[in-house]
Amino acid sequence: ETNDTGEVRIETVKSEHLDQVASVLIESFGAKRFLLCFRAHDSAEELKNKYSKYPQEKWDLGAVAVDAAGKVLGFVQMNVKGLPSLDGFHTCEANEMYIEMIAVSGEARGRGAGTKLLNWCEDKACNYPNISHMKLGVLKGNRAIGLYERFGFEIVAVSDPVEVCCGNIFVLVFLGRPYGCCHPDWGGYDMIKRIR
């Protein structure tokens, strides 16, 4: 499946993309660490090993943004209930299409790759049986929140202070302060976009 959308096109992820996907993830998440020491991304070999175990349905929920030369500029992986999780942090609800990971290389930012990947996600979700909404998690302070909001995602309000505190502690313990020690925002948001 290839969807030509100008200078950047979207393709369903294939094994030949995974080396370049790993490079995009390293660029996007290279400075972020789990438990303040473990990297927040997989190496190319770890990514290939993970994907080798996935059913075709999981592959079909992943896509890359590529330029005219075939260079991978961005990556997205989604999940639904019943499929293996990319990172193990989220369990999908029955009617949910969850964006597990989305990353765009620095050279592609501002060229529409992120928007095209999100459009691809929405098309997939709209054509998938029984999906009522898309959801993603994002760290507070991430500039991509503005893109998600322009695309129609809304921050899920959490009124339970215990849940907010636990979420903030989880992010602090596992990721530290990814946007700097003095950044006023910490923790994360869930964002949702209704499609039906």
Side-chain angles (χ1 to χ4, degrees):
E1 169 189 335
T2 301
N3 178 17
D4 286 320
T5 54
E7 171 180 318
V8 175
R9 70 182 188 277
I10 305 301
E11 299 178 1
T12 302
V13 71
K14 297 178 182 71
S15 58
E16 57 265 22
H17 295 130
L18 294 179
D19 283 323
Q20 292 184 68
V21 165
S23 294
V24 169
L25 296 177
I26 288 167
E27 180 186 341
S28 298
F29 301 107
K32 295 177 179 75
R33 301 278 186 231
F34 289 110
L35 293 174
L36 306 177
C37 59
F38 300 107
R39 66 183 184 276
H41 55 79
D42 292 322
S43 69
E45 288 308 311
E46 291 166 331
L47 197 61
K48 288 177 188 177
N49 184 43
K50 235 182 226 188
Y51 272 82
S52 72
K53 298 172 186 166
Y54 288 157
Q56 186 61 48
E57 186 178 3
K58 179 73 171 186
W59 284 81
D60 292 343
L61 294 177
V64 290
V66 296
D67 66 12
K71 182 177 181 183
V72 173
L73 303 173
F75 166 72
V76 66
Q77 181 64 59
M78 297 187 300
N79 202 14
V80 294
K81 187 172 182 72
L83 289 179
S85 172
L86 186 64
D87 58 20
F89 288 128
H90 182 81
T91 302
C92 290
E93 300 168 9
N95 58 347
E96 171 182 276
M97 179 80 64
Y98 187 73
I99 298 175
E100 293 182 287
M101 183 167 299
I102 185 167
V104 174
S105 69
E107 71 179 87
R109 291 188 188 126
R111 291 175 49 191
T115 299
K116 290 173 185 176
L117 286 168
L118 288 171
N119 282 324
W120 182 90
C121 291
E122 184 171 22
D123 288 346
K124 274 287 188 190
C126 286
N127 291 304
Y128 207 89
N130 304 316
I131 298 298
S132 65
H133 65 278
M134 296 188 316
K135 191 174 189 180
L136 59 82
V138 62
L139 294 176
K140 292 180 181 178
N142 187 330
R143 292 181 308 185
I145 291 171
L147 170 64
Y148 303 145
E149 288 175 329
R150 285 190 303 278
F151 194 74
F153 280 89
E154 298 176 351
I155 293 172
V156 176
V158 180
S159 58
D160 180 1
V162 173
E163 187 176 339
V164 170
C165 183
C166 289
N168 290 344
I169 290 170
F170 177 85
V171 170
L172 180 63
V173 168
F174 286 98
L175 293 174
R177 300 284 301 265
Y179 296 104
C181 288
C182 297
H183 197 284
D185 292 327
W186 63 298
Y189 296 120
D190 280 335
M191 298 185 78
I192 192 169
K193 179 176 182 174
R194 302 235 175 257
I195 57 172
R196 291 192 174 91

